[in-house]
Amino acid sequence: MKVLKNYKDSLLLLLGMLVGGIAGKLIGPGIAVVEPIASTFLNLLFCVVVPLVFVSIVCSIANLKSGKEAGTLLSWTAVFFVATVVIAAIVFTVYFGVIDAAKGAALPADAIAEEMKEVRIDLVGQLTVSDFKDLWSVQKLLAVVVFALITGFSLRGLGEKGEPLLKIVNSLNALIAKFINSIMKFAPVGLGCYFAVFMGTSGGNTAGPLMKIGIATWIGTL
């Protein structure tokens, strides 16, 4: 019972995805009528990602007691980030190269061409933006992180002058947490509708291979 209580939310998510996938497979393209529900849920999540990342980083740094703590946090964060990315890249490259989980996936040629056209390495473009309005985008998360780090350290540097603003940022952090908690109450329905539409419109052409990739990813992550 304790296990069920601890993992209740995760189990409800999986149940919603399973029920949605089965419903989409059985009903077919007609299940697309629930797409607005799925889109609404996903859009709400995407919209809160950038404020969540920015405010949480600013709060973490600005609330540290000393400059030494801030330096230690930043150093270890950088070390762990680089180390885990490198390890994950090596492990998953070998792992997926061996099992070939994507075998059989059928994607349109024009979609592949479009994806490949967008693949490029632009470090400066990822870490910075030329216009403030371009910063608030999910596609510019690295730039958001850099901006949040600088903001957090700047806020710490203000000392007593920054305390009123720090209170506002802490309140925003609590507000975002409450907002996400409210959204996630509808997650089983939202994700269920998403998987229903996906299975109903894509069928076995991509759903089967993608399911294999998902299962392989969960095993590989363990």
Side-chain angles (χ1 to χ4, degrees):
M1 292 299 293
K2 186 176 180 181
V3 174
L4 290 177
K5 184 178 179 180
N6 291 338
Y7 294 96
K8 181 183 70 174
D9 293 338
S10 298
L11 292 174
L12 286 175
L13 282 177
L14 291 174
L15 180 62
M17 293 159 59
L18 179 63
V19 172
I22 294 174
K25 189 68 176 177
L26 293 176
I27 298 174
I31 198 68
V33 295
V34 301
E35 186 172 2
I37 300 175
S39 298
T40 300
F41 170 72
L42 293 175
N43 288 341
L44 285 171
L45 280 183
F46 290 145
C47 284
V48 81
V49 167
V50 173
L52 171 66
V53 171
F54 177 78
V55 174
S56 61
I57 291 176
V58 172
C59 279
S60 298
I61 294 174
N63 284 308
L64 290 174
K65 301 298 182 183
S66 66
K68 185 177 180 180
E69 273 189 337
T72 302
L73 174 65
L74 189 60
S75 299
W76 279 110
T77 299
V79 169
F80 278 109
F81 177 77
V82 173
T84 52
V85 167
V86 171
I87 292 171
I90 294 173
V91 169
F92 272 88
T93 298
V94 175
Y95 175 66
F96 277 110
V98 171
I99 67 173
D100 194 15
K103 185 177 182 180
L107 294 176
D110 55 343
I112 297 175
E114 185 66 24
E115 287 293 328
M116 293 305 295
K117 185 175 67 174
E118 295 297 326
V119 174
R120 61 190 179 91
I121 299 175
D122 182 8
L123 187 59
V124 175
Q126 291 296 319
L127 296 178
T128 58
V129 293
S130 59
D131 197 323
F132 183 75
K133 65 179 176 59
D134 296 331
L135 182 66
W136 309 108
S137 169
V138 176
Q139 298 180 3
K140 295 292 184 179
L141 273 184
L142 282 178
V144 174
V145 170
V146 172
F147 195 76
L149 287 171
I150 297 172
T151 303
F153 280 110
S154 299
L155 186 55
R156 279 195 72 258
L158 289 176
E160 292 183 0
K161 293 181 179 179
E163 288 183 1
L165 181 57
L166 180 57
K167 290 181 179 179
I168 294 175
V169 174
N170 285 331
S171 295
L172 280 174
N173 196 36
L175 175 62
I176 291 172
K178 188 67 175 178
F179 182 84
I180 292 175
N181 185 54
S182 299
I183 294 175
M184 293 309 293
K185 292 184 184 298
F186 300 98
V189 176
L191 282 179
C193 290
Y194 172 80
F195 273 84
V197 173
F198 179 77
M199 287 294 293
T201 55
S202 298
N205 292 333
T206 55
L210 283 178
M211 186 176 293
K212 288 194 295 183
I213 293 174
I215 294 172
T217 301
W218 291 335
I219 295 173
T221 303
L222 291 175

